[in-house]
Amino acid sequence: MHHPPAARVLVASAFATAALLTATACSVAFPDAAPSAPGSTRSRATAPSSAEPRALTEEQVRAALISEADLGEPWMPTQGAATWRDRLLKADTDDPDCHRLLDVLYTEEVFGAATGPHAVVGLDDGYHETQLRYRVAAHRPADADRTLAWLRALPGRCERFTAVTRSGDEQRVHVTGLPLPNAGDARQGLRVTLSGETADGEPTFLTVEVAAVRVGEHTISLTNGGQGDVPADATWKAVELGTQRLTEIRKQGRVEI
């Protein structure tokens, strides 16, 4: 399948110099709490702007969300949490990283708690009976990159493992990488499948796609899952369009006070 190239991510502007601090309008900025590397002579005043979170209002963050109109038919606003979430994703396994992955699939919070305004939208594909949850949030780049590195290692660390649901049913879990558009500053995708059967012998199957993208000091994360066919083009399109939208909103500049 051919996909249009992803929009280029614009690099955040440099810090304002000391002389500009006398201006009446100022930008909301939060200094990076991470200490300088040992032996570094670079002062905080000369640090690159990427170390400083760039504030967006709650309205801007909501505007960065995608909608059913972006994905087209048969997508619609969600009708509520899918029943398979509790049935199959509330499960335990021995390996801590694999257990953490199951928790992420259930909570649908890939990057964890946000450090600033965040917004979420849920969408349903009634034809394929899949559900997509899309989230935009503020995170420190170093924290977001650690999460991306963890996701990147999972196809090797948790490629195949067994999980046990709350009802005692065993699920065979398979984790692979998922191609994503070349969007944002960093990104990682996963495709996770669970297969097994209930105590009554009923077969179970679930596929969940996970996409995580960092755009400066903000993140985009989504899960797209269902018990049947989960078309990968919806995940691809959501990441591509969503990253473009967030990038354009960030171009509006910092919030003035």
Side-chain angles (χ1 to χ4, degrees):
M1 180 182 298
H2 176 71
H3 300 278
R8 293 183 178 176
V9 177
L10 302 180
V11 180
S13 60
F15 277 137
T17 61
L20 291 178
L21 293 177
T22 59
T24 56
C26 64
S27 297
V28 173
F30 305 92
D32 189 2
S36 300
S40 173
T41 59
R42 185 177 62 191
S43 67
R44 187 176 294 274
T46 59
S49 61
S50 61
E52 180 176 284
R54 182 186 190 130
L56 294 179
T57 65
E58 291 186 9
E59 182 179 0
Q60 287 174 313
V61 171
R62 287 195 298 271
L65 294 173
I66 63 167
S67 70
E68 67 276 13
D70 295 312
L71 299 182
E73 294 184 355
W75 290 96
M76 64 185 70
T78 187
Q79 302 301 303
T83 57
W84 44 257
R85 293 180 66 255
D86 285 334
R87 242 181 348 110
L88 299 176
L89 294 180
K90 275 190 174 180
D92 295 316
T93 192
D94 294 334
D95 186 279
D97 282 314
C98 304
H99 192 283
R100 179 184 170 187
L101 171 61
L102 294 174
D103 287 344
V104 164
L105 296 179
Y106 180 74
T107 63
E108 299 175 315
E109 292 191 356
V110 179
F111 288 100
T115 59
H118 58 280
V120 180
V121 65
L123 302 172
D124 291 345
D125 175 347
Y127 181 80
H128 296 99
E129 297 186 347
T130 59
Q131 189 166 82
L132 185 148
R133 185 176 186 271
Y134 186 95
R135 185 173 189 253
V136 177
H139 288 92
R140 291 187 178 277
D143 295 338
D145 286 343
R146 277 193 291 271
T147 297
L148 291 170
W150 171 71
L151 291 171
R152 200 168 293 121
L154 287 179
R157 180 71 184 260
C158 299
E159 180 182 9
R160 297 184 184 277
F161 65 95
T162 300
V164 181
T165 67
R166 297 297 172 88
S167 59
D169 301 327
E170 284 194 355
Q171 295 293 314
R172 297 177 297 277
V173 186
H174 185 205
V175 182
T176 60
L178 178 71
L180 296 178
N182 186 26
D185 298 316
R187 70 213 64 81
Q188 181 60 40
L190 295 176
R191 187 177 179 91
V192 183
T193 60
L194 295 84
S195 59
E197 61 181 31
T198 66
D200 298 328
E202 178 187 356
T204 59
F205 186 80
L206 177 67
T207 298
V208 183
E209 294 185 345
V210 181
V213 183
R214 180 174 68 79
V215 183
E217 298 79 21
H218 292 84
T219 61
I220 293 171
S221 59
L222 72 85
T223 57
N224 180 21
Q227 293 182 276
D229 184 25
V230 178
D233 59 343
T235 300
W236 182 286
K237 191 173 184 180
V239 168
E240 189 170 52
L241 292 178
T243 304
Q244 292 176 4
R245 185 162 298 161
L246 178 58
T247 300
E248 288 299 317
I249 289 174
R250 282 171 50 83
K251 285 171 59 178
Q252 297 173 12
R254 296 177 182 171
V255 182
E256 291 189 349
I257 61 173

